[in-house]
Amino acid sequence: MSNKQIILHERPTDAIDPSLTSGTFRLRTVPRPDNVPADKVLVRVHYLSLDPAMRQWLSASRSYIAPVKIGAVMRGVSMSRVVAVGKDLASKFQVGDWVSAYTGWQEYAVLGKDDVEKIAIPVGGRPTDVLSVLGLTGLTAYFGMIEIGQPRPGDTVVVSGAAGATGMVAGQIAKIKGAKRVIGLAGTQDKCDFLVKELGFDVAINYKSPNWRKQLKAATPDYINVYFDNVGGEILDACLARAAPFSRFVMCGAISQYNTSKPKGPASYMNVISQRVTMKGFIVFDFAEKYAAAREELSSWLAQGKLARKDHILTGGLESAPKALVDLYAGANTGKMMVEVAPVNETEPRAKL
């Protein structure tokens, strides 16, 4: 059997070119791994997580993680199922286990125990939650809001990119923690309606509206106590201008700036001084030792109906991943964007151990 892989062919200078014949990536077909070493597991990828941070992974500039090498399989997390287990890991994994795995963009992967995490699906959950509310997306929202944003009763909280996978969870956590008002910014009226009607945001603002800044001012009469930033650019600047004294700005992402070679910072940075604003960046890996406790609380909220989620799943197999990533930066998704590589009911022949 074969194993399709998508590899990095060349580094983009600005936007990603999704063509598999002339663009950023190439499709490669290799034999499917057959003999599984004693200290490894073989997994079948079912869903690939698409994340804004991927653009940074393609750059050669210094970051929190080494860039993907030219000719290497594109980095990524997947929701996978264990196909075969080496004898040394038989007590830890079983065939059929759902796992979150660092497989990269390919159909199969042989991985060590540190690259695979078994996930229990809670009551009311579904396998794709491994990539969304219970995966790195949900954990990012959780730690950014709980550890850095620290919303308190009476606070006004603003979330940019609020209809995306991380933003929608972050805003709901702020409500759970007692924020007086939660305001989301999104790019279409449908997304804004979703935030208010289905997720319980108090206000949603379409940042493509010509008077969105006036709407933001009207929605924050007491200014902004917590800002969870997924976007950067002019939205960050506008929120910084509305910062309350001693406000907390959670710097999670800057998707508006990822596909430009000349990113722009905020002009309202003097407010950081005058309003004594705390602006703190973070990476979810910083809190790895707290993942289990965070997942337990997220699972509890999910089971209680306090936390809603939405998946944006694209079919078409592995080959559709590059175009889907481009669509992510264009804001085509509401909720967690992922690519279906194989249906969850697909059966697999046993590999040799």
Side-chain angles (χ1 to χ4, degrees):
M1 294 182 64
S2 62
N3 178 28
K4 292 180 181 178
Q5 302 174 326
I6 291 182
I7 63 171
L8 177 62
H9 177 69
E10 61 184 15
R11 301 197 186 281
T13 53
D14 289 304
I16 293 168
D17 182 345
S19 172
L20 285 171
T21 56
S22 60
T24 304
F25 303 101
R26 292 290 187 273
L27 180 67
R28 179 171 69 191
T29 301
V30 298
R32 195 196 85 160
D34 191 23
N35 295 301
V36 181
D39 62 343
K40 307 287 186 184
V41 295
L42 173 65
V43 301
R44 171 53 157 141
V45 175
H46 286 274
Y47 291 92
L48 286 175
S49 174
L50 297 185
D51 303 288
M54 287 177 163
R55 180 59 184 82
Q56 293 176 283
W57 301 344
L58 300 176
S59 172
S61 59
R62 185 171 71 96
S63 186
Y64 65 93
I65 192 170
V68 179
K69 294 181 179 180
I70 299 296
V73 174
M74 175 58 188
R75 180 183 295 137
V77 177
S78 71
M79 188 277 284
S80 298
R81 208 162 197 174
V82 175
V83 175
V85 183
K87 62 181 179 63
D88 292 351
L89 297 181
S91 63
K92 186 175 179 65
F93 298 101
Q94 294 182 350
V95 171
D97 283 345
W98 289 113
V99 294
S100 172
Y102 290 92
T103 58
W105 287 12
Q106 55 184 332
E107 294 178 315
Y108 297 90
V110 174
L111 303 170
K113 62 181 178 62
D114 292 338
D115 292 321
V116 182
E117 183 178 7
K118 186 162 60 174
I119 301 294
I121 308 300
V123 175
R126 54 198 185 211
T128 51
D129 290 339
V130 169
L131 295 184
S132 58
V133 68
L134 301 180
L136 293 179
T137 294
L139 293 171
T140 298
Y142 182 92
F143 292 116
M145 191 58 76
I146 298 294
E147 298 278 349
I148 301 172
Q150 301 178 9
R152 304 157 188 162
D155 277 353
T156 294
V157 178
V158 175
V159 180
S160 64
T166 299
M168 66 170 55
V169 176
Q172 291 180 88
I173 291 174
K175 292 293 287 187
I176 290 169
K177 291 298 180 179
K180 177 180 69 175
R181 174 175 283 198
V182 176
I183 300 152
L185 289 105
T188 69
Q189 190 56 48
D190 286 345
K191 290 181 179 181
C192 289
D193 291 343
F194 169 73
L195 292 174
V196 173
K197 296 177 181 178
E198 298 190 39
L199 300 188
F201 281 58
D202 297 285
V203 179
I205 299 169
N206 183 350
Y207 66 83
K208 294 182 181 178
S209 173
N211 67 341
W212 69 269
R213 289 176 181 267
K214 290 183 178 180
Q215 293 181 51
L216 179 64
K217 182 177 181 180
T220 56
D222 299 322
Y223 298 97
I224 299 170
N225 302 106
V226 178
Y227 173 56
F228 194 106
D229 188 30
N230 292 301
V231 174
E234 61 177 347
I235 293 177
L236 168 59
D237 195 31
C239 290
L240 193 55
R242 299 294 299 165
F246 303 103
S247 53
R248 288 85 65 198
F249 274 48
V250 184
M251 310 310 294
C252 179
I255 196 170
S256 72
Q257 304 299 301
Y258 289 158
N259 286 314
T260 176
S261 56
K262 296 181 179 180
K264 296 180 180 179
S268 302
Y269 70 93
M270 291 291 285
N271 269 15
V272 175
I273 303 170
S274 64
Q275 301 305 316
R276 286 83 86 206
V277 177
T278 297
M279 300 181 71
K280 185 173 182 179
F282 78 103
I283 302 298
V284 68
F285 305 143
D286 300 341
F287 303 95
E289 73 281 0
K290 298 182 179 181
Y291 283 2
R295 280 202 178 100
E296 184 176 347
E297 189 159 31
L298 288 165
S299 296
S300 175
W301 290 337
L302 191 63
Q304 295 173 52
K306 293 181 178 180
L307 194 60
R309 78 289 206 208
K310 186 179 180 66
D311 296 334
H312 187 107
I313 300 175
L314 300 173
T315 57
L318 187 69
E319 293 90 336
S320 64
K323 177 60 166 57
L325 186 58
V326 171
D327 290 344
L328 176 70
Y329 296 117
N333 61 302
T334 299
K336 176 63 182 178
M337 181 176 274
M338 56 188 85
V339 171
E340 183 184 72
V341 177
V344 296
N345 60 353
E346 181 182 86
T347 59
E348 289 293 329
R350 294 294 299 271
K352 297 177 182 178
L353 301 180

